[in-house]
Amino acid sequence: MHLSPHTVRDHIKAVFEKVGVSSRGELVGKLFTEYYAPLAEKNMTRVHTG
């Protein structure tokens, strides 16, 4: 299977538009804050010291 760089760029652009971001960094940040961070918080045990 061969995908041209143009095809990959088009697919990435479509993902950005669907998610509402304009860069890979924004995409990673949005995925983390909306998906992974809440899961981590839910399973996190807080330890208070002092």
Side-chain angles (χ1 to χ4, degrees):
M1 180 173 179
H2 174 74
L3 295 174
S4 75
H6 180 72
T7 301
V8 173
R9 219 176 3 257
D10 285 348
H11 284 289
I12 291 172
K13 184 177 175 185
V15 170
F16 288 173
E17 288 177 16
K18 187 173 275 193
V19 177
V21 299
S22 59
S23 71
R24 291 176 192 219
E26 282 184 68
L27 179 62
V28 170
K30 187 164 186 161
L31 289 173
F32 179 79
T33 58
E34 292 185 10
Y35 182 74
Y36 292 106
L39 290 176
E41 286 273 329
K42 187 174 161 182
N43 296 318
M44 186 180 296
T45 302
R46 298 190 185 268
V47 177
H48 297 279
T49 61

